Amino acid sequence: MSSDPVTLMVARRVARGRYRDFLSWLEEGRALAADFGGYLGSGVLAPPPDDDEYQIIFRFRDAETLGTWEHSASRRAWLARGQGLFEAPQEHRATGLDHWFQPAGSAAPPRWKQAIAIWLAFFPVSLGFQLLFGESLAGLPLVPRVLASTLMLTPVMVFLFIPLSTRLLGPWLRGEVASLPRLARRLRA
């Protein structure tokens, strides 16, 4: 088994009229996963205004700890409680960083595109962090200052901004030139 962190990405379309129930159920599942050994975190990407598919990300230390959670009785009971709240579930597992860039059944984009997508997420978040906390951390020696900033920024980047960047840039990352007008509409919304 791989000893690299493993990410389970789940896409679920919310059943009509069940958004509030779905979101409560989703938070219950995230709290449940947090009780399992090897849990590294989870995140939720809400759909754009014209869609109803949520992207849910669960990250575990390795394939074994993810498997323990996936095959647990408590997760099965949680999934059973979710019946009727969502439609068309899709799941995809990924190891390492490739999970951000390689949806199931597709090739990973070139590394230069991956680097641009990460930079487009990292630059504004780093800039905002410096504007908010730069002065208060400036008096610290270099190592504690970098330690504090990376401890605060890494989870925000990993669970929110990099997945958001790759989702918004998905058509460009996959080379779908015809999808670029749709991307422009997403960015304006």
Side-chain angles (χ1 to χ4, degrees):
M1 290 213 160
S2 171
S3 61
D4 291 332
V6 178
T7 302
L8 173 66
M9 293 171 289
V10 181
R12 299 199 190 278
R13 289 201 180 281
V14 181
R16 185 175 298 277
R18 302 296 307 267
Y19 285 94
R20 187 169 291 156
D21 295 334
F22 174 81
L23 293 175
S24 295
W25 172 81
L26 189 56
E27 285 308 311
E28 176 191 346
R30 291 178 67 195
L32 172 70
D35 287 339
F36 279 76
Y39 174 80
L40 297 176
S42 60
V44 177
L45 294 177
D50 60 339
D51 198 356
D52 60 358
E53 183 177 82
Y54 279 77
Q55 304 290 322
I56 305 109
I57 302 163
F58 294 98
R59 191 147 168 86
F60 282 82
R61 181 179 60 235
D62 52 32
E64 185 179 343
T65 56
L66 171 64
T68 300
W69 172 69
E70 275 189 298
H71 302 295
S72 69
S74 52
R75 181 174 182 261
R76 282 193 303 273
W78 171 67
L79 289 172
R81 285 190 300 278
Q83 291 300 316
L85 298 177
F86 58 86
E87 302 163 356
Q90 297 175 5
E91 295 186 1
H92 174 66
R93 272 168 204 66
T95 304
L97 295 178
D98 285 342
H99 74 275
W100 286 321
F101 300 101
Q102 192 171 2
S106 69
R111 289 283 182 197
W112 66 270
K113 283 188 173 185
Q114 294 178 26
I116 289 172
I118 290 173
W119 182 84
L120 285 171
F122 198 80
F123 178 73
V125 172
S126 297
L127 184 61
F129 178 84
Q130 289 303 317
L131 288 171
L132 292 171
F133 302 106
E135 279 188 38
S136 24
L137 296 175
L140 293 176
L142 178 63
V143 172
R145 187 172 64 231
V146 172
L147 178 65
S149 65
T150 56
L151 281 172
M152 288 187 258
L153 289 177
T154 299
V156 171
M157 294 302 300
V158 168
F159 294 110
L160 185 60
F161 287 99
I162 292 175
L164 179 62
S165 173
T166 57
R167 185 172 182 187
L168 290 173
L169 296 173
W172 174 74
L173 288 166
R174 293 186 301 272
E176 299 170 3
V177 178
S179 296
L180 290 179
R182 187 176 68 196
L183 173 62
R185 284 193 306 273
R186 277 187 185 176
L187 293 174
R188 280 183 290 205

